[in-house]
Amino acid sequence: MTYQVHIMFKPLHEAMSSLHAYICRKSHKKLDLPSSWAAEVRDRLTPEFAALLDELAIDANWKFTFLLIHLCPADDAAGFVAWLRGLSAGDMYEMMAPYSSQFPEDMAAFRELTASVFSRWQEQYFHSADPAVLERLRQVEKERNAVLPGSEEKAFVDETTNGLVFETVPGLEDLVLIPQMHFQPVNIISHFRRLTICYYSARIDMSEEDFLSAHDFRVIRTLGEKSRLKILRYLHGGPRSFIEIVRHLQLSKGITHDHVGKLRSAGLIHAHFEGETLTVYSLRQGTLERMQAALKAYIEG
């Protein structure tokens, strides 16, 4: 591994994660958030702002927002808005040029839209974010940074992200891992030449119920399906592409994608990335043993 691994967190990151979670409507059923979350948030938004967010898409411009968040020196959404509005279009081109050769068609309009969206999101939703969640994410950042020095980097990334593998690609210098809660158990990956940014599921469980963690219970639920067990057995023979898994199961791509997605969320398989491109899946050794220990500890009280 030739790139450097960094763990970072500030409230601005979770503001981005929460906004991404709201906009990415196709993912709502996959998230750990309550099923009523999106509707409850919408009720708190002005009709004008809700309509604007309905029009936003997870596209190339949205990807650049992740880069701006990374480059911003501010810690929170209000600071991000002030910083962004202080930049000229030329400043933004110059700042982003080392990371991409393609840019928003109208940089000034992109800047104003982004600043307006974050300003209103902060005012209408994120200002009331649970401080305990933000504190837990800060704690996760601190804990992972304490482990990072001296760790074998590939194993560290695997454990931190619950199964992601970032292969070395030409020009990649830095992998930034950002713990997030709103979009868990799904990860958000953006690649910009020398930089890959991954908002990874921190697997935070704020429930005080005397039960298995939400993540451990997810592993158990995921294993209770025949096709997923067949995938794990198939991957025991070595890394496989998605198409190879489809052919092995003889199921549709949509159904297979759903099974693979649940196995990924449970951390039962590795997802190998080259930049933003997911190339193959492989069996994640050790997850079943850890699950067995967690289940045994719960049963024995």
Side-chain angles (χ1 to χ4, degrees):
M1 186 176 293
T2 59
Y3 53 80
Q4 296 294 311
V5 179
H6 312 270
I7 304 288
M8 300 180 181
F9 176 75
K10 51 189 179 183
L12 175 57
H13 292 137
E14 193 60 17
M16 181 64 179
S17 172
S18 64
L19 184 54
H20 185 86
Y22 183 82
I23 294 171
C24 198
R25 289 169 285 277
K26 291 182 179 180
S27 296
H28 286 176
K29 292 182 180 180
K30 303 176 184 178
L31 303 183
D32 285 349
L33 293 169
S35 58
S36 60
W37 177 78
E40 291 171 355
V41 172
R42 189 179 183 87
D43 287 342
R44 295 165 59 176
L45 307 178
T46 64
E48 178 191 5
F49 186 42
L52 173 61
L53 294 184
D54 286 345
E55 295 176 0
L56 290 182
I58 307 300
D59 57 12
N61 281 3
W62 185 247
K63 174 184 171 180
F64 278 115
T65 308
F66 284 95
L67 178 59
L68 287 174
I69 294 287
H70 173 71
L71 296 173
C72 176
D75 285 338
D76 57 24
F80 172 65
V81 171
W83 171 79
L84 190 58
R85 284 183 166 150
L87 298 174
S88 68
D91 292 334
M92 295 177 68
Y93 280 116
E94 184 176 355
M95 181 173 55
M96 298 164 72
Y99 301 94
S100 179
S101 59
Q102 296 180 328
F103 306 97
E105 184 175 344
D106 186 336
M107 188 69 84
F110 168 67
R111 177 195 61 208
E112 289 308 310
L113 175 62
T114 303
S116 176
V117 166
F118 270 83
S119 178
R120 286 187 274 183
W121 184 251
Q122 172 68 21
E123 177 185 343
Q124 298 180 36
Y125 172 72
F126 197 71
H127 76 281
S128 60
D130 187 352
V133 170
L134 299 180
E135 183 55 37
R136 182 71 187 97
L137 288 167
R138 289 191 186 96
Q139 185 180 351
V140 169
E141 177 205 24
K142 183 178 180 179
E143 291 170 352
R144 297 314 298 162
N145 272 318
V147 175
L148 179 55
S151 296
E152 195 280 313
E153 289 180 328
K154 186 173 183 179
F156 175 84
V157 173
D158 170 34
E159 178 63 26
T160 300
T161 64
N162 199 35
L164 298 183
V165 179
F166 294 93
E167 308 292 358
T168 301
V169 295
L172 179 59
E173 298 177 5
D174 295 289
L175 170 64
V176 177
L177 302 178
I178 299 168
Q180 57 87 12
M181 185 281 290
H182 272 82
F183 208 58
Q184 66 182 26
V186 187
N187 306 298
I188 313 166
I189 299 168
S190 305
H191 179 67
F192 307 92
R193 286 184 175 168
R194 66 190 193 191
L195 170 70
T196 295
I197 302 171
C198 173
Y199 282 60
Y200 72 89
S201 170
R203 306 187 293 286
I204 290 176
D205 185 358
M206 302 301 292
S207 171
E208 297 181 0
E209 184 181 5
D210 180 19
F211 190 59
L212 294 164
S213 72
H215 174 68
D216 287 344
F217 192 46
R218 178 182 294 111
V219 177
I220 293 174
R221 296 198 315 271
T222 300
L223 290 170
E225 208 285 333
K226 184 185 296 186
S227 293
R228 294 172 205 155
L229 293 177
K230 287 182 177 180
I231 292 173
L232 294 179
R233 186 175 186 179
Y234 183 50
L235 293 180
H236 187 265
R240 309 290 185 184
S241 70
F242 176 72
I243 293 301
E244 287 176 312
I245 296 173
V246 170
R247 291 170 179 165
H248 177 73
L249 290 182
Q250 296 184 338
L251 295 174
S252 71
K253 290 182 180 179
I255 292 174
T256 303
H257 186 272
D258 181 67
H259 288 317
V260 169
K262 285 182 168 58
L263 290 169
R264 282 185 59 187
S265 295
L268 287 160
I269 59 178
H270 286 118
H272 297 252
F273 283 86
E274 294 181 2
E276 293 177 16
T277 303
L278 203 166
T279 55
V280 294
Y281 299 97
S282 63
L283 185 64
R284 191 169 183 236
Q285 302 289 348
T287 302
L288 293 177
E289 288 81 0
R290 288 192 291 272
M291 185 63 250
Q292 183 180 20
L295 183 58
K296 185 172 183 290
Y298 170 73
I299 291 172
E300 294 178 351

